[in-house]
Amino acid sequence: MSVVKINVLTVPAEQREVLEQRFAHRAHAVENSDGFEWFELLRPVEGTDQYLVYTRWRDEASFQAWMEGPMKAAHQGTEGGGERPRPAASGSTLWSFEVVQQAEPKSA
């Protein structure tokens, strides 16, 4: 069964654009990872300052390999060759789930 990882990022209002730009600059950084199945960055629309970063993986080992390789390298890099930028999020929590059931639209 696939696994889902949701990184819950607490992002102050003044940092929202920064966070979204950083994700846009890293677009496609995860798609070629072995075992990767899906990614979504979810922006809050009301009542919270928490973004959700949704990823789906073939298995836990695939996620861990990405965490120790490409993800780690992306977060250790610097933008523009200068100092490492300050995090846009003020907090982060990782939720983990196993996919038990799923459905997709029926074709017409």
Side-chain angles (χ1 to χ4, degrees):
M1 270 299 178
S2 296
V3 296
V4 169
K5 302 294 181 171
I6 300 174
N7 194 3
V8 182
L9 302 175
T10 303
V11 182
E14 66 275 7
Q15 291 293 100
R16 284 179 158 204
E17 188 175 334
V18 171
L19 178 86
E20 291 179 22
Q21 286 177 357
R22 287 182 184 168
F23 271 93
H25 289 194
R26 286 196 296 253
H28 312 297
V30 71
E31 283 104 343
N32 293 322
S33 296
D34 185 45
F36 169 78
E37 295 179 353
W38 199 260
F39 163 84
E40 291 178 325
L41 175 61
L42 306 176
R43 177 193 302 138
V45 292
E46 60 185 36
T48 185
D49 59 356
Q50 295 181 316
Y51 277 71
L52 301 181
V53 183
Y54 173 99
T55 58
R56 182 173 164 147
W57 300 87
R58 176 181 58 228
D59 52 32
E60 182 68 25
S62 298
F63 172 73
Q64 291 301 327
W66 175 75
M67 286 283 289
E68 291 303 315
M71 193 283 298
K72 193 175 201 177
H75 283 83
Q76 288 177 345
T78 59
E79 295 176 6
E83 242 179 74
R84 185 170 180 216
R86 189 174 148 260
S90 62
S92 173
T93 302
L94 184 64
W95 296 343
S96 299
F97 300 88
E98 291 180 335
V99 176
V100 179
Q101 293 183 17
Q102 64 185 25
E104 60 186 39
K106 296 202 183 261
S107 57

